[in-house]
Amino acid sequence: MSADTVLPGGALRLSETLTVSRVGYGALQLAGPMAYGPPRDRDEALAVLRAVADAGITHLDTSDYYGPHLVNGLIREALHPYRDGLRIATKVGARRTPDRGWPAALSRSELVRAVHDNLEHLGLETLDLVNLRMTDTLAARDVVEPFSVLAELREQGLIRDLGVSNVSAEQVRAARRIAPVVAVQNHYNIAHRQDDALVDWCAEQGIAFVPFWPLGGFRPLQAQALEQVATELGATPRQIALAWLLHRSPTILLIPGTSRRPHLTQNIAAGALDLPARALRTLDAIADADASFQ
């Protein structure tokens, strides 16, 4: 990939070795229901992954606990050997149970095993970005031990860059005292704005903020306002929600997921949407439960 290639949504440099498209792709939906078991349509899942690469997306977000193991296997089958410039981000810190649960897996042995499993199933010698997913705690002290394990694996050359997921601002700061943090992956969207201050702080620090659930948690009035803007601009509500996130902060990265190629095309197109001032005022007010959207 040449230096002047235009990436979907533009590009963001996270570190000396990590530059990605701001419109990325999240692979969670390639697994079965609740990210467990095989895909509904295996051929289409492989076709989606190839379409992701063909579209110029260079940020692919996954985890070996999607499936488990199955999604990383699909990624390897569809895309290995990987194109120059493609960067794969993965998550560790959880495991899957037969009842489709997501319990924490934060012990040293579990984290080391998870990193090696990701390497094996993706067919890599080094992981581009590993996000530590925290579970059931926002206390700064609880991130120290597991993040230190990942920092050690980074020093060993198994990981290039580190991030954190499902965390508090205090946990991000605690992790940064151990090793550089290039990305924060949290629940955030137009309606779910509890991390507004963290989004701004990440931008100031040059840290990527990667929202998940871009349409989660909307109340009826908020959904109505989003639909109104989408109709006015000839787009879908999902496209408007994604475009707003790109506008919200220069260091926000998108990882919308889908298991269908037409939906992928719509998500990518959101990266080129222009949101006029009036639309932005309406969208910015969605988080206010008492806002009027007339």
Side-chain angles (χ1 to χ4, degrees):
M1 182 176 296
S2 64
D4 58 353
T5 299
V6 178
L7 302 180
L12 180 64
R13 186 185 185 195
L14 281 66
S15 71
E16 291 183 2
T17 60
L18 189 59
T19 298
V20 298
S21 55
R22 290 191 68 200
V23 175
Y25 173 74
L28 180 147
Q29 292 187 33
L30 294 183
M34 298 179 66
Y36 198 92
R40 297 178 179 88
D41 186 335
R42 191 175 189 280
D43 289 341
E44 180 66 10
L46 293 170
V48 166
L49 288 166
R50 294 180 182 121
V52 165
D54 289 342
I57 288 174
T58 62
H59 179 200
L60 200 167
D61 181 85
T62 185
S63 176
D64 208 45
Y65 55 71
Y66 294 167
H69 315 309
L70 296 173
V71 169
N72 279 355
L74 290 171
I75 291 171
R76 181 174 183 173
E77 180 178 346
L79 301 177
H80 193 278
Y82 302 111
R83 298 183 183 185
D84 182 40
L86 179 65
R87 299 291 181 255
I88 300 177
T90 190
K91 286 178 290 297
V92 297
R95 59 184 176 86
R96 303 307 303 276
T97 56
D99 63 353
R100 302 185 180 184
W102 305 75
L106 294 168
S107 70
R108 172 177 291 273
S109 62
E110 288 171 318
L111 292 171
V112 171
R113 181 70 263 167
V115 166
H116 282 278
D117 283 348
N118 276 277
L119 288 167
E120 176 184 352
H121 295 131
L122 289 168
L124 293 169
E125 295 183 356
T126 304
L127 297 170
D128 293 311
L129 171 60
V130 174
N131 291 302
L132 174 67
R133 180 185 188 271
M134 296 301 295
T135 305
D136 301 328
T137 174
L138 297 176
R141 63 181 180 275
D142 292 329
V143 80
V144 172
E145 184 174 347
F147 197 77
S148 296
V149 174
L150 295 186
E152 292 174 14
L153 297 175
R154 176 175 176 266
E155 290 296 318
Q156 294 172 20
L158 300 179
I159 302 169
R160 290 192 179 92
D161 287 295
L162 295 173
V164 286
S165 177
N166 204 35
V167 291
S168 65
E170 291 73 21
Q171 287 177 325
V172 180
R173 294 185 176 93
R176 288 186 87 202
R177 289 192 285 269
I178 298 165
V181 173
V182 304
V184 174
Q185 190 177 107
N186 273 9
H187 180 197
Y188 182 81
N189 58 40
I190 301 176
H192 188 92
R193 301 279 297 273
Q194 285 87 333
D195 270 350
D196 265 342
L198 182 56
V199 169
D200 293 334
W201 181 82
C202 284
E204 293 170 1
Q205 301 299 318
I207 297 172
F209 190 95
V210 189
F212 54 82
W213 294 346
L215 281 178
F218 280 62
R219 294 183 297 277
L221 186 59
Q222 295 169 331
Q224 178 186 340
L226 187 62
E227 182 72 41
Q228 172 188 319
V229 173
T231 299
E232 291 173 355
L233 298 182
T236 68
R238 182 178 180 86
Q239 286 177 315
I240 297 299
L242 293 173
W244 179 86
L245 286 168
L246 287 176
H247 185 276
R248 172 64 181 83
S249 166
T251 65
I252 276 184
L253 298 176
L254 303 182
I255 52 168
T258 180
S259 59
R260 298 291 174 183
R261 280 170 288 177
H263 195 183
L264 172 67
T265 300
Q266 291 180 359
N267 289 342
I268 294 171
L273 276 179
D274 180 40
L275 298 178
R278 182 174 181 273
L280 283 172
R281 286 194 297 271
T282 301
L283 296 171
D284 289 342
I286 281 180
D288 184 352
D290 298 320
S292 173
F293 301 109
Q294 303 302 320

